[in-house]
Coordinates of all heavy atoms in Angstrom, one line a residue:
N1 N -86.5 59.7 -25.2 CA -85.7 60.9 -24.7 C -86.2 62.1 -25.7 O -85.9 62.1 -26.9 CB -84.3 60.6 -24.9 CG -83.4 61.7 -24.5 OD1 -83.8 62.9 -24.2 ND2 -82.1 61.4 -24.4
L2 N -86.8 63.1 -25.0 CA -87.3 64.2 -25.7 C -86.0 65.0 -26.4 O -86.2 65.9 -27.3 CB -88.0 65.2 -24.9 CG -89.5 64.8 -24.6 CD1 -90.0 65.6 -23.4 CD2 -90.4 65.1 -25.8
D3 N -84.9 64.9 -25.8 CA -83.7 65.7 -26.2 C -82.8 65.0 -27.3 O -81.7 65.4 -27.6 CB -82.8 66.1 -25.0 CG -83.5 66.9 -24.0 OD1 -84.3 67.8 -24.5 OD2 -83.5 66.6 -22.8
L4 N -83.4 63.9 -27.9 CA -82.5 63.1 -28.9 C -82.4 64.1 -30.2 O -83.2 64.9 -30.6 CB -83.3 61.9 -29.4 CG -83.2 60.7 -28.4 CD1 -84.1 59.6 -29.1 CD2 -81.8 60.2 -28.2
K5 N -81.1 64.0 -30.7 CA -80.8 64.6 -32.0 C -81.0 63.7 -33.2 O -80.9 62.5 -32.9 CB -79.3 65.2 -31.9 CG -79.1 66.2 -30.7 CD -77.6 66.5 -30.7 CE -77.3 67.4 -29.5 NZ -75.9 67.7 -29.4
P6 N -81.1 64.2 -34.3 CA -81.0 63.4 -35.5 C -79.7 62.7 -35.6 O -78.6 63.2 -35.3 CB -81.3 64.3 -36.8 CG -82.0 65.5 -36.1 CD -81.3 65.7 -34.7
E7 N -79.7 61.5 -36.3 CA -78.5 60.7 -36.6 C -77.9 61.3 -37.9 O -78.8 61.5 -38.9 CB -78.7 59.3 -36.8 CG -79.3 58.6 -35.5 CD -79.5 57.1 -35.8 OE1 -80.1 56.8 -36.9 OE2 -79.3 56.3 -34.8
V8 N -76.7 61.6 -38.0 CA -76.1 61.9 -39.3 C -74.9 61.0 -39.6 O -74.0 60.8 -38.8 CB -75.5 63.4 -39.3 CG1 -74.9 63.8 -40.6 CG2 -76.6 64.3 -38.8
A9 N -75.1 60.3 -40.8 CA -74.1 59.3 -41.2 C -73.2 59.8 -42.4 O -73.9 60.3 -43.4 CB -74.8 58.0 -41.5
Y10 N -71.9 59.7 -42.3 CA -71.0 60.0 -43.3 C -70.5 58.7 -43.8 O -69.8 58.0 -43.1 CB -69.8 60.9 -42.8 CG -70.4 62.2 -42.3 CD1 -70.8 62.4 -40.9 CD2 -70.4 63.4 -43.1 CE1 -71.1 63.6 -40.4 CE2 -70.9 64.6 -42.6 CZ -71.3 64.6 -41.2 OH -71.7 65.8 -40.9
S11 N -70.7 58.4 -45.1 CA -70.3 56.9 -45.5 C -69.5 57.2 -46.7 O -69.7 58.0 -47.7 CB -71.6 56.1 -45.9 OG -72.4 55.9 -44.8
I12 N -68.4 56.2 -46.9 CA -67.7 56.1 -48.2 C -67.7 54.6 -48.5 O -67.6 53.7 -47.6 CB -66.4 56.6 -47.9 CG1 -65.5 56.7 -49.3 CG2 -65.5 56.0 -46.8 CD1 -64.3 57.4 -49.4
K13 N -67.8 54.3 -49.8 CA -67.9 53.0 -50.2 C -67.2 52.9 -51.6 O -67.4 53.7 -52.4 CB -69.3 52.5 -50.3 CG -69.5 50.9 -50.4 CD -71.0 50.6 -50.2 CE -71.1 49.1 -50.1 NZ -72.5 48.7 -49.7
A14 N -66.4 51.8 -51.7 CA -65.9 51.6 -53.0 C -66.2 50.2 -53.5 O -66.5 49.3 -52.8 CB -64.2 51.8 -53.0
G15 N -66.0 50.0 -54.9 CA -66.3 48.7 -55.4 C -65.4 48.4 -56.6 O -65.2 49.3 -57.5
A16 N -64.8 47.2 -56.7 CA -64.1 46.8 -57.8 C -64.7 45.5 -58.3 O -65.0 44.5 -57.6 CB -62.6 46.5 -57.4
D17 N -65.1 45.5 -59.6 CA -65.6 44.4 -60.3 C -65.0 43.9 -61.5 O -64.7 44.6 -62.5 CB -67.2 44.9 -60.7 CG -68.0 43.7 -61.2 OD1 -67.5 42.7 -61.4 OD2 -69.2 43.9 -61.4
W18 N -64.4 42.7 -61.4 CA -63.6 42.1 -62.5 C -64.4 41.0 -63.0 O -65.0 40.1 -62.2 CB -62.2 41.6 -61.9 CG -61.4 42.7 -61.3 CD1 -60.7 43.7 -62.0 CD2 -61.2 42.9 -59.9 NE1 -60.0 44.5 -61.1 CE2 -60.3 43.9 -59.9 CE3 -61.6 42.3 -58.7 CZ2 -59.8 44.5 -58.6 CZ3 -61.2 42.9 -57.5 CH2 -60.3 43.9 -57.5
H19 N -64.4 40.8 -64.3 CA -65.3 39.9 -65.1 C -64.9 39.6 -66.4 O -64.1 40.4 -66.9 CB -66.7 40.3 -65.0 CG -66.9 41.8 -65.4 ND1 -66.8 42.8 -64.5 CD2 -66.9 42.4 -66.6 CE1 -66.9 44.0 -65.1 NE2 -66.9 43.7 -66.5
D20 N -65.4 38.6 -67.0 CA -65.2 38.4 -68.4 C -66.1 39.3 -69.2 O -67.0 39.9 -68.6 CB -65.4 36.9 -68.8 CG -66.9 36.5 -68.6 OD1 -67.4 36.5 -67.5 OD2 -67.6 36.4 -69.6
A21 N -65.8 39.5 -70.5 CA -66.5 40.5 -71.2 C -68.1 40.2 -71.3 O -68.8 41.3 -71.3 CB -66.0 40.6 -72.7
E22 N -68.6 39.1 -71.3 CA -69.8 38.8 -71.4 C -70.5 38.6 -70.1 O -71.7 38.4 -69.9 CB -70.1 37.4 -72.2 CG -69.9 37.7 -73.7 CD -68.5 37.7 -74.0 OE1 -67.7 37.0 -73.3 OE2 -68.1 38.4 -75.0
R23 N -69.8 38.6 -68.9 CA -70.2 38.4 -67.6 C -70.9 37.1 -67.5 O -71.9 36.9 -66.6 CB -71.2 39.5 -67.1 CG -70.5 40.9 -67.1 CD -71.5 42.0 -66.6 NE -70.9 43.2 -66.5 CZ -70.4 43.8 -65.4 NH1 -70.5 43.1 -64.3 NH2 -69.9 45.0 -65.4
Q24 N -70.4 36.1 -68.1 CA -71.1 34.7 -68.1 C -70.2 33.8 -67.5 O -70.4 32.9 -66.8 CB -71.5 34.3 -69.5 CG -72.5 35.2 -70.1 CD -73.8 35.1 -69.4 OE1 -74.2 34.0 -68.9 NE2 -74.5 36.2 -69.3
N25 N -68.8 33.9 -67.7 CA -67.7 32.9 -67.3 C -67.3 33.1 -65.9 O -67.1 32.0 -65.2 CB -66.6 32.8 -68.3 CG -65.7 31.7 -68.1 OD1 -64.7 31.8 -67.2 ND2 -65.9 30.6 -68.7
W26 N -67.0 34.3 -65.5 CA -66.5 34.4 -64.2 C -66.6 35.9 -63.8 O -66.9 36.8 -64.6 CB -65.0 34.1 -64.1 CG -64.1 35.1 -65.0 CD1 -63.8 34.9 -66.3 CD2 -63.4 36.2 -64.5 NE1 -63.0 36.0 -66.7 CE2 -62.8 36.8 -65.6 CE3 -63.3 36.9 -63.2 CZ2 -61.9 37.9 -65.5 CZ3 -62.6 38.0 -63.2 CH2 -61.8 38.6 -64.4
Q27 N -66.6 36.2 -62.5 CA -66.8 37.5 -61.9 C -66.3 37.5 -60.5 O -66.5 36.5 -59.7 CB -68.2 38.0 -61.9 CG -68.5 39.4 -61.4 CD -69.9 39.8 -61.4 OE1 -70.9 38.9 -61.4 NE2 -70.2 41.1 -61.6
L28 N -65.7 38.6 -60.0 CA -65.2 38.8 -58.7 C -65.5 40.3 -58.3 O -65.1 41.2 -59.1 CB -63.7 38.6 -58.5 CG -63.2 39.0 -57.2 CD1 -63.8 38.0 -56.1 CD2 -61.6 38.8 -57.2
R29 N -66.2 40.4 -57.2 CA -66.7 41.7 -56.8 C -66.2 42.0 -55.4 O -66.5 41.1 -54.5 CB -68.2 41.9 -56.9 CG -68.7 43.3 -56.3 CD -68.6 44.3 -57.3 NE -69.3 45.5 -56.9 CZ -69.3 46.7 -57.4 NH1 -68.6 46.8 -58.5 NH2 -69.9 47.8 -56.9
V30 N -65.5 43.1 -55.1 CA -65.0 43.5 -53.7 C -65.5 44.8 -53.4 O -65.3 45.9 -54.1 CB -63.5 43.3 -53.6 CG1 -63.0 43.7 -52.2 CG2 -63.0 42.0 -54.1
T31 N -66.2 45.0 -52.2 CA -66.8 46.2 -51.9 C -66.5 46.5 -50.4 O -67.2 46.1 -49.5 CB -68.3 46.2 -52.0 OG1 -68.6 45.8 -53.4 CG2 -68.9 47.6 -51.9
P32 N -65.5 47.3 -50.1 CA -65.2 47.7 -48.7 C -66.1 49.0 -48.4 O -66.4 49.8 -49.3 CB -63.8 48.1 -48.7 CG -63.4 48.5 -50.1 CD -64.4 47.7 -51.0
F33 N -66.3 49.3 -47.1 CA -67.2 50.4 -46.7 C -66.8 51.0 -45.4 O -66.2 50.2 -44.5 CB -68.7 50.1 -46.8 CG -69.1 49.1 -45.8 CD1 -69.4 49.5 -44.4 CD2 -69.0 47.7 -46.1 CE1 -69.7 48.4 -43.5 CE2 -69.4 46.7 -45.0 CZ -69.7 47.1 -43.8
Y34 N -67.1 52.2 -45.2 CA -66.8 52.8 -43.8 C -67.9 53.9 -43.6 O -68.2 54.7 -44.4 CB -65.5 53.5 -43.8 CG -65.3 54.3 -42.5 CD1 -64.9 53.6 -41.3 CD2 -65.5 55.6 -42.4 CE1 -64.6 54.3 -40.1 CE2 -65.4 56.3 -41.2 CZ -64.9 55.6 -40.0 OH -64.7 56.3 -38.8
T35 N -68.6 53.8 -42.4 CA -69.5 54.8 -42.0 C -69.3 55.3 -40.7 O -69.1 54.6 -39.7 CB -71.0 54.2 -42.0 OG1 -71.3 53.7 -43.5 CG2 -72.1 55.2 -41.5
Y36 N -69.3 56.6 -40.5 CA -69.2 57.3 -39.3 C -70.6 58.0 -38.9 O -71.0 58.8 -39.8 CB -68.1 58.4 -39.3 CG -67.9 59.0 -37.9 CD1 -67.0 58.4 -36.9 CD2 -68.6 60.2 -37.4 CE1 -66.8 59.0 -35.7 CE2 -68.5 60.7 -36.1 CZ -67.5 60.1 -35.3 OH -67.3 60.6 -34.0
V37 N -71.2 57.6 -37.8 CA -72.5 58.2 -37.4 C -72.3 59.1 -36.3 O -72.1 58.7 -35.2 CB -73.5 57.1 -37.2 CG1 -74.9 57.6 -36.9 CG2 -73.5 56.0 -38.2
K38 N -72.6 60.3 -36.5 CA -72.7 61.3 -35.4 C -74.1 61.3 -34.8 O -75.1 61.3 -35.5 CB -72.4 62.8 -36.0 CG -72.4 63.8 -34.9 CD -71.9 65.2 -35.5 CE -71.9 66.2 -34.5 NZ -71.2 65.8 -33.2

């Protein structure tokens, strides 16, 4: 399609990382995201 326009994406992403001080014993990482593509 010669008339295609460029894609434009608006994204927001967050991350929470809980862990022990040395990052050896335990870790939990949660990362939600949202993207709107015009």
Side-chain angles (χ1 to χ4, degrees):
N1 183 350
L2 281 164
D3 298 318
L4 285 177
K5 301 175 184 177
E7 298 176 324
V8 181
Y10 300 89
S11 299
I12 186 168
K13 194 166 191 176
D17 189 347
W18 299 285
H19 47 265
D20 66 289
E22 289 75 30
R23 296 177 179 267
Q24 297 295 321
N25 186 272
W26 64 276
Q27 183 180 29
L28 175 64
R29 173 84 175 172
V30 180
T31 309
F33 64 90
Y34 175 83
T35 296
Y36 185 90
V37 185
K38 182 173 176 56

